[in-house]
Amino acid sequence: MLFSEVVAASAAVRATRSRKAKIAALAELFASAGPTEIATVVAWLSGELTQGRIGAGWRTVTGLDTPPSAEASLTVEAVDAVFTQLTGLSGTGSALRRRELLTELFTAATADEQSFLLRLLTGELRQGALTAIVVEALAQATGIPIEVVRRAHMLSGQLPATAVVAITGGEAALRAFRLEVGRPVAPMLASPGGSLDEALAELGPRVSVEHKLDGARIQVHRQGEQVWIFTRTLRDITAGVPELVELVRGLACTSVVLDGETLALTDAGRPRPFQETMSRFATVADTTELLLHPYFFDCLHLDGRDLLDEPLQARRTALELVAGEHAIPALVAPDAEAAADYYDDALAVGNEGVMIKSLDAPYAAGRRGKSWQKIKPAHTLDLLVIGAEWGYGRRTGFLSNLHLAARDEETGEPVMVGKTFKGLTDELLRWQTAEFPRYQSGTDGHAVFLRPELVVEIALDGVQTSTRYPGGVALRFARVVRYRPDKEPQQADTIATVRALG
């Protein structure tokens, strides 16, 4: 397949806001890709490389000054081969060889291909071809039911690998996907709820009420003595959390997959700030200084039995059996008064609120549904930072006022919904000013514009209709709670969620 075909499909996707048109353009491309090309094509149009990081950063790529080729001759295979070569470079002379390979590649590319390569390699391939759209396009290209493709993707955790199986093995091969211990599953997500009474009325009396912890999401896998610990984004952090590994090895089972949260606690047993817990995920820290404590709330597999499709009540029974004191306590099928008391208790001990979960619902891997609802005393949203303004007064010299956006669920594009500088501590101001240039896509002198890759949690009193921002709404009394390095951009809240608060 010619590389120009991928570039043309990308251009078609960027040129339309129609979800149907995006899916059609991608489906046509996927249908013509060969078995050895489909994984690469799917990864590129999701804005990723199959090789991961290849050492070709913004400065390296934008520093190239090569005239484009007049004719399209590059193939998908040839471009991918260059990326693979770049991945293997290290040591003396590697910087020179990297520049030589990139120069050769860009010289062979047309102007449109050069533009695509630049955006792909610098993380700016923002075209609305998000995972959900790519999954639908793959289903359309192969004629396989969307639910089959979606489930296989959630169980595999890798969209390119799912695409290969769909193209080479068809529906039967995708249906054969099972939860595999050691391979992370996309986590089930909760929806923001209104009030406690509203959630109880919607989900009915058969619910589990749990404390909502201000911790970091973890997914734990064990097979015999082998243990894996994954983050919300499915990153393997096993080497950095030995105390969790030791604890999981001590559970009374042969194989298990658990979903939960982990927190660092104070000497008094109260949760430490979220950023302190997350600091353990950044590097292999000194575990004697900041120990993590796990709290598991779901069991997806136990001793050879997959539980994803079982109702929560059955999964809860398995959880309590295997996790014991490490299972987060739950109030099962309470009346409204008992649930309200439990909510007050959660806040009193320093937790964020409560989770209300339907006891009859299966585990919807990778999906955000109404069967799990989070209830907090204040509205919070996970939004994308798409810009920041240089401060004045005591904030002179710091990037301050944040430009905030929600995701358009149809196109995947960021939609601006407000600005705020409230809640920014001196520490955060220093961090933003040092960190934001890594994500810069432009500037007008007053503001720095960023690629939508950073997720920040914003507290607000509500939203109101407004023509000031493209989303048609504005945030009321928005203030920064914290950044969410555990969340990918596609996990930010949608514009529909924001509007629903109005």
Side-chain angles (χ1 to χ4, degrees):
M1 171 181 279
L2 286 174
F3 181 49
S4 59
E5 296 177 65
V6 179
V7 174
S10 174
V13 169
R14 288 170 59 84
T16 180
R17 292 184 59 84
S18 166
R19 184 185 184 91
K20 184 176 180 180
K22 290 177 186 289
I23 292 170
L26 294 179
E28 183 178 355
L29 180 71
F30 296 163
S32 61
T36 61
E37 300 165 328
I38 186 64
T40 301
V41 171
V42 165
W44 288 351
L45 289 168
S46 300
E48 301 174 353
L49 301 177
T50 57
Q51 296 87 353
R53 295 185 178 181
I54 63 173
W58 174 268
R59 289 186 179 179
T60 302
V61 179
T62 55
L64 299 173
D65 185 16
T66 60
S69 172
E71 296 184 5
S73 60
L74 286 170
T75 64
V76 167
E77 183 178 10
V79 175
D80 194 49
V82 173
F83 293 160
T84 300
Q85 289 183 69
L86 290 167
T87 306
L89 293 178
S90 62
T92 304
S94 60
L96 177 60
R97 181 55 180 156
R98 182 174 293 109
R99 188 172 184 86
E100 289 175 347
L101 286 171
L102 287 169
T103 299
E104 291 173 6
L105 176 61
F106 273 69
T107 299
T110 65
D112 287 343
E113 290 171 341
Q114 285 187 351
S115 176
F116 180 90
L117 286 169
L118 180 64
R119 287 181 286 112
L120 177 62
L121 293 174
T122 58
E124 289 193 10
L125 197 64
R126 301 200 328 261
Q127 55 187 33
L130 295 177
T131 298
I133 292 176
V134 174
V135 166
E136 289 192 48
L138 187 58
Q140 185 170 309
T142 58
I144 300 172
I146 179 63
E147 290 302 324
V148 176
V149 179
R150 183 179 289 129
R151 181 175 175 81
H153 169 231
M154 296 311 169
L155 291 175
S156 73
Q158 298 179 328
L159 190 51
T162 305
V164 171
V165 174
I167 293 292
T168 59
E171 181 176 346
L174 288 186
R175 287 189 180 278
F177 272 62
R178 295 290 182 270
L179 185 153
E180 180 180 313
V181 177
R183 184 176 65 191
V185 175
M188 183 173 178
L189 305 174
S191 295
S195 67
L196 180 64
D197 289 341
E198 289 171 348
L200 292 173
E202 181 176 351
L203 296 178
R206 286 185 47 76
V207 295
S208 169
V209 183
E210 306 165 9
H211 285 199
K212 187 183 188 314
L213 307 181
D214 188 18
R217 188 83 172 261
I218 55 170
Q219 189 177 120
V220 167
H221 292 235
R222 174 184 162 193
Q223 183 68 57
E225 290 299 302
Q226 179 70 52
V227 173
W228 301 263
I229 313 288
F230 301 99
T231 65
R232 176 195 297 270
T233 58
L234 311 186
R235 181 166 63 92
D236 189 335
I237 57 166
T238 309
V241 288
E243 71 272 40
L244 298 185
V245 172
E246 182 180 358
L247 183 148
V248 174
R249 281 201 182 116
L251 298 179
C253 63
T254 300
S255 64
V256 71
V257 177
L258 298 170
D259 193 0
E261 301 259 351
T262 187
L263 295 89
L265 302 178
T266 66
D267 292 340
R270 292 177 67 87
R272 289 181 179 272
F274 175 78
Q275 287 79 2
E276 293 189 27
T277 295
M278 285 303 300
S279 70
R280 281 293 310 278
F281 291 3
T283 58
V284 179
D286 182 352
T287 59
T288 62
E289 293 184 1
L290 193 64
L291 291 176
L292 296 177
H293 300 261
Y295 298 87
F296 300 115
F297 51 72
D298 219 317
C299 182
L300 313 186
H301 171 97
L302 181 59
D303 288 336
R305 180 187 172 200
D306 289 346
L307 302 171
L308 284 169
D309 296 323
E310 297 288 331
L312 174 59
Q313 186 162 37
R315 303 198 311 275
R316 181 80 206 179
T317 299
L319 172 69
E320 293 172 350
L321 177 67
V322 69
E325 64 179 350
H326 303 293
I328 189 169
L331 198 60
V332 177
D335 59 28
E337 184 177 354
D341 289 341
Y342 207 66
Y343 177 57
D344 291 340
D345 289 343
L347 298 178
V349 298
N351 292 321
E352 290 188 306
V354 293
M355 298 289 295
I356 311 295
K357 301 177 180 179
S358 169
L359 288 169
D360 299 319
Y363 189 92
R367 306 293 299 278
R368 188 187 299 277
K370 284 293 188 179
S371 59
W372 285 14
Q373 296 188 30
K374 49 189 175 184
I375 309 299
K376 301 180 182 182
H379 294 300
T380 62
L381 293 167
D382 292 322
L383 299 174
L384 298 166
V385 181
I386 59 172
E389 297 170 9
W390 290 103
Y392 54 90
R394 77 174 192 85
R395 296 189 177 191
T396 298
F398 293 102
L399 285 170
S400 178
N401 201 20
L402 301 180
H403 296 195
L404 304 169
R407 284 190 305 110
D408 186 316
E409 59 270 42
E410 292 296 317
T411 68
E413 299 289 345
V415 182
M416 190 169 178
V417 292
K419 299 180 182 181
T420 190
F421 56 82
K422 298 183 184 299
L424 289 172
T425 63
D426 291 344
E427 181 181 0
L428 277 180
L429 287 170
R430 287 192 294 269
W431 178 84
Q432 289 178 176
T433 305
E435 189 74 6
F436 282 5
R438 293 180 52 203
Y439 303 91
Q440 184 171 333
S441 61
T443 181
D444 63 3
H446 172 63
V448 169
F449 305 111
L450 309 178
R451 302 191 300 274
E453 298 177 17
L454 293 169
V455 180
V456 65
E457 183 176 349
I458 298 294
L460 63 155
D461 290 355
V463 301
Q464 60 192 32
T465 301
S466 171
T467 58
R468 184 176 183 182
Y469 301 113
V473 293
L475 309 178
R476 296 182 64 246
F477 302 107
R479 58 262 186 206
V480 173
V481 177
R482 58 188 174 180
Y483 278 87
R484 297 301 304 257
D486 58 325
K487 289 196 173 185
E488 297 287 349
Q490 59 266 31
Q491 294 175 322
D493 283 309
T494 66
I495 185 64
T497 298
V498 177
R499 289 169 179 157
L501 297 177

